[in-house]
Amino acid sequence: MTNELDIFVGNTTLIDEDVYRLWLDGYSVNDAVALRVRSGILEQTGATAAVLQSDTMDHYRTFHMLERLLHAPPKLLHQLIFQIPPSRQALLIERYYAFDEAFVREVLGKKLSKGTKKDLDDISTKTGITLKSCRRQFDNFKRVFKVVEEMRGSLVDNIQQHFLLSDRLARDYAAIVFFANNRFETGKKKLQYLSFGDFAFCAELMIQNWTLGAVGEAPTDPDSQVDDMDVDLDKEFLQDLKELKVLVADKDLLDLHKSLVCTALRGKLGVFSEMEANFKNLSRGLVNVAAKLTHNKDVRDLFVDLVEKFVEPCRSDHWPLNDVRLFLNQYSASVHSLDGFRHQALWDRYMGTLRGCLLRLYHD
Amino acid sequence: MPGKLKVKIVAGRHLPVMDRASDLTDAFVEVKFGNTTFKTDVYLKSLNPQWNSEWFKFEVDDEDLQDEPLQITVLDHDTYSANDAIGKVYIDIDPLLYSEAATVISGWFPIYDTIHGIRGEINVVVKVDLFNDLNRFRQSSCGVKFFCTTSIPKCYRAVIIHGFVEELVVNEDPEYQWIDRIRTPRASNEARQRLISLMSGELQRKIGLKVLEMRGNAVVGYLQCFDLEGESGLVVRAIGTACTLDKLSSPAAFLPACNSPSKDMKEIPFNEDPNPNTHSSGPSTPLKNQTYSFSPSKSYSRQSSSSDTDLSLTPKTGMGSGSAGKEGGPFKALLRQQTQSALEQREFPFFTLTAFPPGFLVHVGGVVSARSVKLLDRIHNPDEPETRDAWWAEIRQEIKSHAKALGCHAVVGYSESTSICEEVCILSASGTAAVLNPRFLQDGTVESCLEQRLEENLPAGCGFCHIPYDELNMPFPAHLTYCYNCRKQKVPDVLFTTIDLPIDATVIGKGCLIQARLCRLKKKAQAEANATAISNLLPFMEYEVHTQLMNKLKLKGMNALFGLRIQITVGENMLMGLASATGVYLAALPTPGGIQIAGKTPNDGSYEQHVSHMQKKINDTIAKNKELYEINPPEISEEIIGSPIPEPRQRSRLLRSQSESSDEVTELDLSHGKKDAFVLEIDDTDAMEDVHSLLTDVPPPSGFYSCNTEIMPGINNWTSEIQMFTSVRVIRLSSLNLTNQALNKNFNDLCENLLKVTVTAVAITFDKNQALQTTKTQVEKSLQRASTDNEELLQFPLELCSDSLPSHPFPPAKEHLESASSNSGIPAAQRATSVDYSSFADRCSSWIELIKLKAQTIRRGSIKTTVTVEKASPMSEGNFRNRSAPPCANSTVGVVKMTPLSFIPGAKITKYLGIINMFFIRETTSLREEGGVSGFLHAFVAEVFAMVRAHVAALGGNAVVSYIMKQCVFMENPNKNQAQCLINVSGDAVIFVRESELEVVSSQPPTANCQSSCPGGDVTT
């Protein structure tokens, strides 16, 4: 029963949250109608299927027209065509930019390019998310990325300002942009146990400490050519990290470090003997990760390396999380007592962030 | 007299990308008024240009100010080729021409292109300096206020209601000029939009002049219509009611204490003479004294009404009512005759109002209507629209004589409409014959009227039901009883009217929407033959529509219809009739009898059984409806009344005559007399169908009510959130094998469907929100409520397209498909598909049905929720605002409400800013890409809403009341991927204040209000 022309337009544009969700999830009108029927709405309201169909069509048309505006949320606020209460506008935007955990894990760290877009078919089959929804989410990532990529200032603030997202969602997008820009590898099998939240947590720490914006260079040097302060890692910092190599290269220093840590932790660690046996390996792993970060390739593998060099060895020895924490704290702190080591600040900047990341990454 | 129009172009935003290379636009603006054009600088490479132009000044006659729209065109500068137009904004500056309304138009307007729709926005400031000339209202009619509202606007008081004004202008339709063959669709659309804008400006000015002649200062119930006559031209016509209005500065000013100052004010509205001494000199210019000769009497009335004794007032005004120089007899007994004669002196004693000040309406006779079928011919001389004028004059004359036959001297709730198909045009007019209180016609304040009412001993609540005609000399056979309320006067047993339910009427139970729907096939014919065929069919249609209405009314157990609108529309091989009204049970009228069914073949046992089964079903329905609408009239013993309450035996005979009392007093009466309206005889399948159709009206979901009048009878707890919506449906139907019967059924289904759609669409949203309400926290509760209560008010234009096929080459397969769909119960009309684009009008007769449907969704149980939430809302809403503020604080778009009602529930209208009357054309050549016809029209309707809201907001208003989509003509050509749509909307821009906020606003002392409302002599109040 399709009518040739059948519209129902209200002065105030009413948004049915359920239909909006169905639309966002990429269901066709017919599927959406079927799902709504199953929800028992017909019985509740005494409506006929035809009415439901036309109601759904009306909503879909409205969403379709709104989509253009949602691509630039400030436009939605100022546009005159749809009279939507502010609370509803916020809801529209927030829901439109929301994404599926399963999807974001597939795309996180990948280049947001046409090539990736072609793979969406596979992602859709793999995750069970409709291709339409995948496209929307991918395009959202890409759009946000394009807008804030070249922008100065805080990444989260920029996203919030240009897309009017909630704080939470803006932080997530910052992580997505940061990962996409640095192309961190997240898809390896080893990393599958990690959630988006884990990565987002790490991203936030890294943005706060390892980027140019973190050292507050911009205000003092406004003429610098560095545009994307929050998005790129501080190159100089990465270069300097080579200096940390001495901690493992210098045998005396390494031994001294080990003894300092062991002395401090003796009796406090359940896995003390394992720690003692593994100390040199772990330390070498952590320091080598730092030293390698000058190469882009190694930057990308950061998380793989961390999991391989630290998380996995500890996990195989069944370290409890608390012991990991105690160890990492002592491990970073003890360096201050190494007289021959001159790069304390550098070490703190590196290890402070890494410690946070490792603790977050350390779970099953 | 000249005035100075000043325009400033501030900025643009969200402009479309016009230069693909740079993804930017080099925009500039042309500002045109009349023949003068100004340009802004080109703002290079920006989608959000800041022109911040100087003030462009146009020095123009106020005649032009009234006629011409301000035309703003946004263009993209192109060095090498012609500049590309981005879009236009037309601004009607009329609201700036009377000082009371808006003083400035300032705000963001959507930039509209007839091909692309809205493309960005532009910020414009417009001001008008009218030179302070004492004579400034002589040449043009600046200062006359226009209202679409069909009652006295809320913040005004009627001093005098002068009467009917009408005007009509014609022109060639640009779409049909030879030049249209070579110009672009855009140019053609714009020419049309501009022309119609000009014509309606001219029309308003001319009507304003007539009002000034009548010494009024306002037009209420202004109804302007376009007749797109195709080849033969374009007619813009308007009717309205001229009034002299007094501004009520606050409710307090209404008190007698303020009376005397307000009396003095009366001369001010006319603004003819700032000098108070000349007011008694009567006509000071030749303009004044024309056909409307009663106006000079005004000076009398002024004196008399300011006196304190109301008794002395009556004869004086009586004198006043005697017209032009004649001194009327001072006796009260002559009063009515005098006013009647005064009314009769007017060409047409018609009033477009549907709601009246208390005491204005004395008696109501019944519905009067007249139709006439005309053949259109080319309008040769646009300056002399005599033929069209003559046509309408003829019809009005007929209406007048009908009213007279009903013993009434006036017609209220008057309206006119047309239906055009090819070169045949049906003109219709209808109204309610009534006897009016003379006070208002000449002079009179509300107080004096009330006094007089008491004098005449008209009990409140039933007076208007009493028959105006002589009992012994009735214009038609009708059954009369003594009024159930006062038991003194006679009343008919059923009352049909086109007006709103009077406020003081006593109603039992709730009201409901009653519709009669009818479809008739007719032979396809040309010109004269066609016209003849139509006029032959018309009486039968009217009769059937009427019978249906009456039966349905009985079925609901009600006895009166208000707001009746019968529309008869013509297509190529079909005629359709749709009547909508609100049924109520008036306490003053007798209880309606039931419906009897009689079989034709009484011997057949099974048949008998069937009939009695049917009878039972009908009786059950009546009982159910009575319960549903809570109609429980108090039992009155017959002895007390002492009136001829019919015995059961008599009842059937009585039923027979019932229809007559309310009938349109047309030739149809005769036919009515022959057939019994309430004993339904089942003699063939046709009659069977009729009875079935009676019973198939599906009752709306419980808790959902609809009506088409301003007030929902019997329901008073309106919530203040309202949502207006427009719904358009077109359904194709093959008429190959369709009989009248099937068509009827289909059409019926369609209307029923449409009702259901709205009802259930509302219900869906409602239910959902309600479910949410129970689970959410306090803060969110109020939030939810805001969206729940949104859908109280429904207006839907329902478009019915009827056009025929035979001449058009449908592929046979398609034909089948279409008829299949029609069989499945979706009805309506059919349309040709393959016609040349340039000849849209040749193939399409589409029209809009306007059902003003106001519904209230109060679900059981939700009332309680609403109340509790209301208490909590001030705080929680505040909370919410704070919470949502960060992301959306910089939203610049204010909320503008729209409603087809003349008021906003729970709010008080503080200021009328002027009339909104807009005409848009939208055309597309990429129909599929825009989402098909539905997508195209959906977007267009949304755009129209947006443009109306933008104009209201720019005037400083926050709502449109009496909003109506008067025309929506849709034409498509799917083969060429093209479609075109014309929409005409109108309404009154207002500022309203929520009653909760009102206390703060109206805290000024009343004396101050009086002062402020009586400014010096030189401005209109």
Side-chain angles (χ1 to χ4, degrees), chain A residues 134-146:
Chain A
C134 288
R135 290 224 175 96
R136 170 182 61 84
Q137 298 181 38
F138 181 81
D139 289 341
N140 282 344
F141 295 166
K142 195 171 166 183
R143 193 174 317 110
V144 174
F145 182 83
K146 282 255 181 273

Side-chain angles (χ1 to χ4, degrees), chain A residues 144 147-149 151-178 200-201 203-208 211 213 228-231:
Chain A
V144 174
V147 168
V148 298
E149 182 187 26
M151 231 170 243
R152 322 182 106 246
S154 154
L155 188 55
V156 178
D157 288 353
N158 284 339
I159 293 173
Q160 227 165 358
Q161 194 188 335
H162 286 88
F163 293 93
L164 310 174
L165 303 179
S166 67
D167 193 51
R168 174 86 233 115
L169 198 53
R171 280 171 200 281
D172 286 349
Y173 267 91
I176 291 164
V177 169
F178 185 71
F201 179 83
E204 197 169 340
L205 281 179
M206 287 155 86
I207 292 169
Q208 274 165 15
T211 58
D228 26 353
M229 309 186 315
D230 259 7
V231 186

Side-chain angles (χ1 to χ4, degrees), chain B residues 976-996:
Chain B
K976 287 197 161 188
N977 206 15
Q978 289 166 330
Q980 191 191 34
C981 185
L982 293 78
I983 286 184
N984 175 222
V985 295
S986 67
D988 292 324
V990 299
I991 301 177
F992 74 88
V993 181
R994 292 232 166 275
E995 253 149 30
S996 51

Side-chain angles (χ1 to χ4, degrees), chain B residues 878-893:
Chain B
N879 281 353
F880 172 68
R881 229 171 263 143
N882 289 339
R883 222 184 43 182
S884 71
C888 305
N890 48 344
S891 168
T892 55
V893 186

Side-chain angles (χ1 to χ4, degrees), chain B residues 18 73-76 83-88 113 119 186 190:
Chain B
M18 298 300 282
T73 314
V74 186
L75 299 114
D76 176 52
N83 299 327
D84 295 321
I86 295 172
K88 289 190 182 223
D113 179 71
R119 307 170 96 189
R186 175 182 283 120
E190 280 170 5

